[in-house]
Amino acid sequence: MVAAIKRPGWWRGLLGAIAFGAFGFGLVIALRAISDLPLYQTEQTGYPHVIVPAVLAPLGFLAGFGCFDYWLRWAAGLPTIPDDHSQHGAKSWKDYFKFNTDHKVIGVQYVVTTFIFFFLGGLMAMLIRAELAQPGTQIVEASTYNSLFSTHAVLMIFVFVIPVFAGLANYVLPLMIGAPDMAFPRLNALSFWMLPLAGILFIGSFLAPGGAFDAGWTGYAPLSTGAPLGQSFFNLGVQFAGASSIATALNFLVTIITMRAPGMTFWRMPLLVWANLSTSLLVVAATPFIAGVQFMVLFDRLLHTNFFDYAAGGDVISYQHIFWFYSHPAVYIMMLPGFGIVSEVISTHARKPIFGYRLMALALIGIVVLSYSVWAHHMFVAGMFSWLRVPMMITTLLIAVPTGIKIFSWLGTLYFGKIHTYSTSMLFALAFIVTFTIGGISGVMLGMVPIDIHVSDTYFIVAHIHFVLFGGSVFTIFAGVYHWFPKMTGRMYDEKLGRVHFWGTLVGTWGTFIPMHWVGMDGMPRRVADYAEQFGNWNLLISAFAFMLGAVQLVFVYNMIVSWRFGPKADANPWRANSIEWQVSSPPPIFNFDEIPRVVGGPYEFGVPGAKHAIMAGEGAEVPAGEKSVVGSSS
Amino acid sequence: MYGRLPIVKMLLVTLAATVVISVVMVQINWDGQQASTAAPKIDHLLNVMIVLSSFVFSLVMVMLFYALWKFKAKPGDESDGEPIHGNTRLEIAWTLIPTIIVLFAGGYSWKVLDEIENPKDGALTVSVFSQQYAWSFAYPGKKYAYSEGELHVPVNRQVQFKMHALDVIHSFWVPEWRIKKDNVPGITTTAIVTPDKVGTYQLVCTELCGFGHATMRAKVVVESPAKFNEWVEGLERETPEALLKVVEDTTTTNPPALDAGGA
């Protein structure tokens, strides 16, 4: 037992959480006792004896679990423990529950953890739709309803869509660029372990007096600054999710810039790598803004700093500016990696080079630049400076241009190809083009101020964000999971079940989210537990499709679990793709490559005679004939 | 090489689909009843967008399904497609044409925005107060008449709402007017509307404001000027001092010259 507590791991982590938490609790009580204050401050925004331990306990867990051991020994001048690679690879399922620095293990940890949060968030969506199936109050009362849609959104955004992309890229990106691992493996592990802590804080807020946070995922002040204790859990959870995402983004940036295999120039990088480069540029610069603004709310609640208290000279609207300065780029953080996935899948299954590869990469960079200049389009009716609306409208509409380039280039990739639709990943990628086009069109409409004035904060918004986030991001996540499932697990999934999942998801998505546009334009506001009778029938239909959409996801779970355990063994390259991750075994060897590959051409040279993307170990060093002509170009 | 594609036919199908989709979609009255001078303008802008969007959507669908039909691999065909890496002219086209479309959309929106928010002389000013979970309204004049939960305005006269939130943010929306504006604690926001149809409507709160958000509504009555004057005269309550102080104490976010444009 003593040995178990000395070793990094769950027992020591638990002990660390308890010790740090108890210290925080004691500190607050002691300081209040010295200051002659009542020991417990239980005004609804207060609770320092809960907040301080809620900050420290997760840190104690991370320290106990072993996330900081190496660094602390180094910092203290102690002899560091030489890395014997015991923290690499996974020999049994138990290894996935350990502090592990192998990017492939971390990738799987990410994807599985985030999908657990996806299903918890989905369950909340089902409760929301059950309540909305009829006008009036049936299942949950209004305040619980507000908590449900707030946590639904927060789980989906902060601990599903953003990190699941980080997880998929964690697994495949180092392989794709011919690197043995990420640049900072220990930081990578720390990034992952912060994520479940964020999720626990979000879900744990249901236990707080007054219920889970209920000011929406946007948490606008002053509703949030005056909300019950649960809101503080949101403020803190965002810190852990945000720190995780910033650290991962830094890791990706350094990995992509410094660890590409010899010969892999920027113009030979697969578009997934370009997409994650762009996403990481957004994450490192934008995420500090949401971290900052949630601290400002927390300080307003706890320390009466009055950033957003109008009665004390605070400025209410400034919350929205800071919040959206992150949260609009966040929309692209949640979409660009998906663009990368779709490019890989479509090129592979159409057996064609990506059409206009360079313009595709430049469009990603264009989106990064533009996305910092559009945030106030979320605030056209917010009462901000009125002249700010027009320039923000123009930049918003211009984002449609690089996005359109991507859509047309994917379509162009299909032409004169040999399109295979046997794989579920390709079905999701093709359906993504259709649903995302619709989401893009409603996005352009929302960018136009007069239309936005009418539909802002209605179900039209709910419809739009679900078309781009579910029909967009989640479709690409499914495409990515199906595409790399053989690589990650070494097993094939069942395509028949994949098709059932695909068609169910497609029909469910359209059936659920298309009618939401209509009720929104016709006058149904969003974030309401109850609504006018006239919208009853449409909402019943929406709920019916939503339940179908929810149910069909169980097929996906079954397929993934059973195939992972019993599926037929996968070849190294079942899709006959070109990029490097497919040139190693499935799953790849523990250090990825016996010898770092040498990149000699573009990643999508389908149909180019003699072309090669990379020369793997043992393939000989002669330069293939195609090399000179195969730099991915748009000529 | 591209001569092998039936480009003319594809364009014709796209145009035909555009016509069919937009004709059907434009018939539908998406936004509901129109009851202000802004409503037809916004709905017309929406219809223009529907036509443009139908074209973009049809183009994408025709391109996608033609490719899926024409270039689907035969069973057992393991060969690769043709190694086409791009086409500079095509890429320039699908960069420039969408740019022109969205700039047109932006310019047109700007024009409509200017029209619907153009302040007129002789407008009626009404103060709006919102709090969890109720609306109240104050009318200028000797008495500074005050009404809770019921808003009356005369037909065919511009109304400028000066809005104040007393606790958290609320949002003022009358769907038939197509006008929405947040009420923000600490500042005065303005909404401009000219109701042009007599009737009874609902004022809906559209900014999440707490557990009572869904039920935070008020009755809106648009009536003839005579009836309106009679109603205001009949109001017995005066606006509470506390609210008058809110009006005095809060400023607009906008410089005064711009505020007239309806922040």
Side-chain angles (χ1 to χ4, degrees), chain A residues 142-143 146 149 214-216 220-223 310 316-317 320 351-357 359 381-387 389-390 393-394 397-398 400-401 405 407-409 411 414-421 430 433-434 437-438 441 444-445 448-451 453-458 518 520-530 576 605-608 633-635, chain B residues 1-2 4-5 10 30-32 42 45-46 49-50 53 57 59-64 66-68 71-73 77-88 90-91 94-95 98-99 102-103 105-106 109-110 112-113 116-117 132 166-169 173 175 178-182 184-187 189 204-211 213-214 217 253-255 258 262-263:
Chain A
S143 56
N146 289 356
F149 72 71
D214 57 1
Y220 274 15
L223 187 61
Y310 60 95
V316 170
I317 287 187
Q320 298 170 32
R351 317 302 306 157
K352 262 282 306 289
I354 283 286
F355 194 94
Y357 165 87
L359 194 60
V381 299
M384 62 172 182
F385 281 110
S386 54
W387 51 262
R389 294 174 301 174
V390 172
M393 164 170 77
I394 303 296
L397 297 178
L398 281 176
V401 174
I405 289 174
I407 299 263
F408 288 120
S409 299
L411 292 172
L414 296 174
Y415 277 73
F416 303 103
K418 297 277 166 78
I419 304 167
H420 295 271
T421 50
L430 293 171
I433 296 181
V434 182
T437 301
I438 303 229
I441 287 170
V444 169
M445 289 180 173
M448 300 163 70
V449 180
I451 296 181
I453 289 175
H454 177 58
V455 294
S456 161
D457 277 313
T458 68
W518 306 337
M521 291 161 109
D522 204 21
M524 180 167 162
R526 74 197 273 220
R527 293 174 165 174
V528 288
D530 186 9
R576 299 185 294 126
E605 298 305 305
F606 296 101
V608 180
S633 75
S634 54
S635 56
Chain B
M1 178 170 315
Y2 299 99
R4 279 194 273 151
L5 288 178
M10 288 169 72
W30 298 104
D31 291 348
I42 291 178
L45 179 66
L46 178 72
M49 270 319 285
I50 284 176
S53 307
F57 183 71
L59 182 67
V60 170
M61 290 307 105
V62 169
M63 283 177 74
L64 176 66
Y66 180 77
L68 287 182
F71 301 111
K72 198 164 167 20
D77 185 354
E78 301 259 296
S79 65
D80 286 344
E82 291 185 34
I84 303 164
H85 285 88
N87 179 307
T88 308
L90 208 51
E91 287 166 43
W94 66 46
T95 308
T99 308
V102 297
L103 287 180
S109 300
W110 194 355
V112 172
L113 185 65
I116 61 178
E117 292 186 343
Q132 288 168 330
L166 305 179
D167 37 41
V168 299
I169 304 173
W173 186 37
R178 310 285 187 270
I179 291 298
K180 181 184 295 129
K181 182 59 62 95
D182 283 6
V184 182
I187 59 169
T189 55
V204 180
C205 176
T206 51
E207 186 67 59
L208 176 64
C209 58
F211 64 84
H213 168 55
R217 305 207 158 193
T253 15
N254 287 317
L258 282 167

Side-chain angles (χ1 to χ4, degrees), chain A residues 339-586:
Chain A
F339 286 173
I341 291 172
V342 167
S343 298
E344 301 303 322
V345 171
I346 286 186
S347 170
T348 303
H349 290 282
R351 317 302 306 157
K352 262 282 306 289
I354 283 286
F355 194 94
Y357 165 87
R358 288 194 185 207
L359 194 60
M360 285 289 259
L362 291 174
L364 287 167
I365 301 296
I367 291 174
V368 170
V369 173
L370 275 174
S371 77
Y372 281 113
S373 65
V374 301
W375 77 90
H377 70 215
H378 296 270
M379 303 167 59
F380 285 157
V381 299
M384 62 172 182
F385 281 110
S386 54
W387 51 262
L388 192 51
R389 294 174 301 174
V390 172
M392 287 285 174
M393 164 170 77
I394 303 296
T395 49
T396 301
L397 297 178
L398 281 176
I399 282 207
V401 174
T403 316
I405 289 174
K406 302 208 72 83
I407 299 263
F408 288 120
S409 299
W410 288 317
L411 292 172
T413 305
L414 296 174
Y415 277 73
F416 303 103
K418 297 277 166 78
I419 304 167
H420 295 271
T421 50
Y422 60 87
S423 86
T424 311
S425 55
M426 183 64 165
L427 296 177
F428 270 108
L430 293 171
F432 159 80
I433 296 181
V434 182
T435 43
F436 192 72
T437 301
I438 303 229
I441 287 170
S442 60
V444 169
M445 289 180 173
L446 285 170
M448 300 163 70
V449 180
I451 296 181
D452 184 74
I453 289 175
H454 177 58
V455 294
S456 161
D457 277 313
T458 68
Y459 255 81
F460 191 88
I461 302 283
V462 181
H464 166 72
I465 78 109
H466 282 94
F467 247 83
V468 290
L469 267 182
F470 199 96
S473 307
V474 177
F475 274 34
T476 66
I477 290 165
F478 283 134
V481 168
Y482 282 114
H483 188 63
W484 283 296
F485 183 87
K487 185 53 62 184
M488 297 171 86
T489 63
R491 306 265 179 177
M492 297 303 286
Y493 62 88
D494 186 328
E495 295 285 7
K496 265 199 201 117
L497 290 176
R499 270 166 198 270
V500 173
H501 175 226
F502 166 74
W503 286 109
T505 304
L506 185 66
V507 173
T509 304
W510 282 60
T512 306
F513 301 120
I514 285 276
M516 285 187 184
H517 292 98
W518 306 337
V519 292
M521 291 161 109
D522 204 21
M524 180 167 162
R526 74 197 273 220
R527 293 174 165 174
V528 288
D530 186 9
Y531 51 86
E533 293 281 341
Q534 67 187 103
F535 305 118
N537 288 340
W538 280 122
N539 272 287
L540 186 61
L541 182 81
I542 292 171
S543 289
F545 274 110
F547 295 143
M548 193 273 264
L549 180 59
V552 83
Q553 303 312 315
L554 299 177
V555 178
F556 169 74
V557 180
Y558 174 84
N559 193 2
M560 291 295 109
I561 293 176
V562 173
S563 303
W564 197 345
R565 185 86 180 76
F566 304 109
K569 289 246 188 267
D571 296 337
N573 193 357
W575 317 125
R576 299 185 294 126
N578 277 355
S579 46
I580 300 176
E581 83 271 27
W582 298 106
Q583 315 311 321
V584 293
S585 60
S586 299

Side-chain angles (χ1 to χ4, degrees), chain A residues 1-336:
Chain A
M1 190 65 198
V2 176
I5 284 172
K6 275 187 172 168
R7 244 191 352 257
W10 285 97
W11 286 112
R12 210 182 75 175
L14 203 62
L15 191 72
I18 293 169
F20 275 54
F23 172 75
F25 183 80
L27 187 69
V28 171
I29 299 296
L31 287 175
R32 290 188 72 89
I34 298 169
S35 321
D36 246 0
L37 292 166
L39 293 188
Y40 303 103
Q41 201 275 50
T42 52
E43 277 174 42
Q44 66 172 4
T45 63
Y47 290 95
H49 56 281
V50 177
I51 304 299
V52 176
V55 179
L56 290 179
L59 293 175
F61 169 79
L62 292 172
F65 197 66
C67 294
F68 304 119
D69 276 24
Y70 188 92
W71 295 326
L72 286 178
R73 294 183 75 90
W74 181 283
L78 297 170
T80 49
I81 302 160
D83 199 339
D84 59 358
H85 303 305
S86 61
Q87 291 171 343
H88 258 81
K91 284 164 208 77
S92 84
W93 62 272
K94 285 182 191 149
D95 288 338
Y96 287 101
F97 291 86
K98 289 179 184 157
F99 180 83
N100 199 309
T101 54
D102 183 340
H103 77 96
K104 297 186 289 302
V105 176
I106 294 172
V108 173
Q109 287 174 329
Y110 256 109
V111 173
V112 173
T113 309
T114 50
F115 263 97
I116 290 170
F117 289 124
F118 174 60
F119 283 97
L120 285 170
L123 210 59
M124 289 169 187
M126 295 298 105
L127 285 171
I128 292 168
R129 283 321 314 176
E131 171 56 44
L132 291 179
Q134 283 176 0
T137 305
Q138 293 90 25
I139 315 278
V140 290
E141 53 177 317
S143 56
T144 317
Y145 178 86
N146 289 356
S147 292
L148 277 176
F149 72 71
S150 302
T151 17
H152 162 74
V154 165
L155 289 181
M156 290 302 193
I157 291 167
F158 292 110
V159 288
F160 175 58
V161 175
I162 294 175
V164 77
F165 280 129
L168 284 169
N170 226 306
Y171 198 103
V172 298
L173 190 141
L175 288 160
M176 268 185 165
I177 61 170
D181 203 318
M182 295 279 277
F184 306 118
R186 291 184 198 93
L187 185 66
N188 201 14
L190 173 64
S191 305
F192 165 71
W193 285 102
M194 281 194 277
L195 200 67
L197 297 175
I200 289 168
L201 281 168
F202 293 144
I203 294 167
S205 71
F206 273 102
L207 302 174
F213 51 94
D214 57 1
W217 82 277
T218 48
Y220 274 15
L223 187 61
S224 56
T225 50
L229 178 60
Q231 190 67 36
S232 298
F233 283 82
F234 168 70
N235 300 146
L236 290 177
V238 169
Q239 306 304 332
F240 284 98
S244 160
S245 147
I246 294 172
T248 308
L250 282 170
N251 220 337
F252 279 136
L253 284 178
V254 177
T255 308
I256 294 168
I257 292 169
T258 66
M259 291 182 65
R260 280 166 292 138
M264 179 163 285
T265 59
F266 274 107
W267 293 124
R268 283 175 179 170
M269 295 195 312
L271 284 172
L272 184 89
V273 181
W274 272 106
N276 278 284
L277 179 71
S278 322
T279 308
S280 301
L281 288 172
L282 285 172
V283 170
V284 288
T287 311
F289 283 83
I290 193 168
V293 84
Q294 295 312 325
F295 268 133
M296 288 162 90
V297 169
L298 188 69
F299 292 164
D300 265 15
R301 294 167 57 81
L302 214 57
L303 310 173
H304 298 284
T305 44
N306 300 338
F307 289 115
F308 308 120
D309 181 358
Y310 60 95
D315 180 4
V316 170
I317 287 187
S318 64
Y319 173 88
Q320 298 170 32
H321 280 296
I322 311 172
F323 177 83
W324 288 115
F325 193 78
Y326 162 76
S327 294
H328 194 79
V331 172
Y332 296 98
I333 292 170
M334 292 186 270
M335 197 61 259
L336 298 189

Side-chain angles (χ1 to χ4, degrees), chain B residues 159-237:
Chain B
V159 188
Q160 296 184 5
F161 294 102
K162 298 286 176 188
M163 304 196 284
H164 310 273
L166 305 179
D167 37 41
V168 299
I169 304 173
H170 303 275
S171 195
F172 176 102
W173 186 37
V174 179
E176 291 81 358
W177 289 350
R178 310 285 187 270
I179 291 298
K180 181 184 295 129
K181 182 59 62 95
D182 283 6
N183 302 2
V184 182
I187 59 169
T188 308
T189 55
T190 310
I192 294 183
V193 61
T194 311
D196 64 357
K197 202 162 281 164
V198 171
T200 305
Y201 310 96
Q202 254 198 338
L203 166 57
V204 180
C205 176
T206 51
E207 186 67 59
L208 176 64
C209 58
F211 64 84
H213 168 55
T215 50
M216 182 170 164
R217 305 207 158 193
K219 188 176 165 193
V220 178
V221 179
V222 179
E223 55 199 358
S224 66
K227 271 192 181 167
F228 167 73
N229 285 335
E230 198 181 314
W231 179 80
V232 174
E233 290 300 315
L235 283 173
E236 282 169 6
R237 292 180 59 187

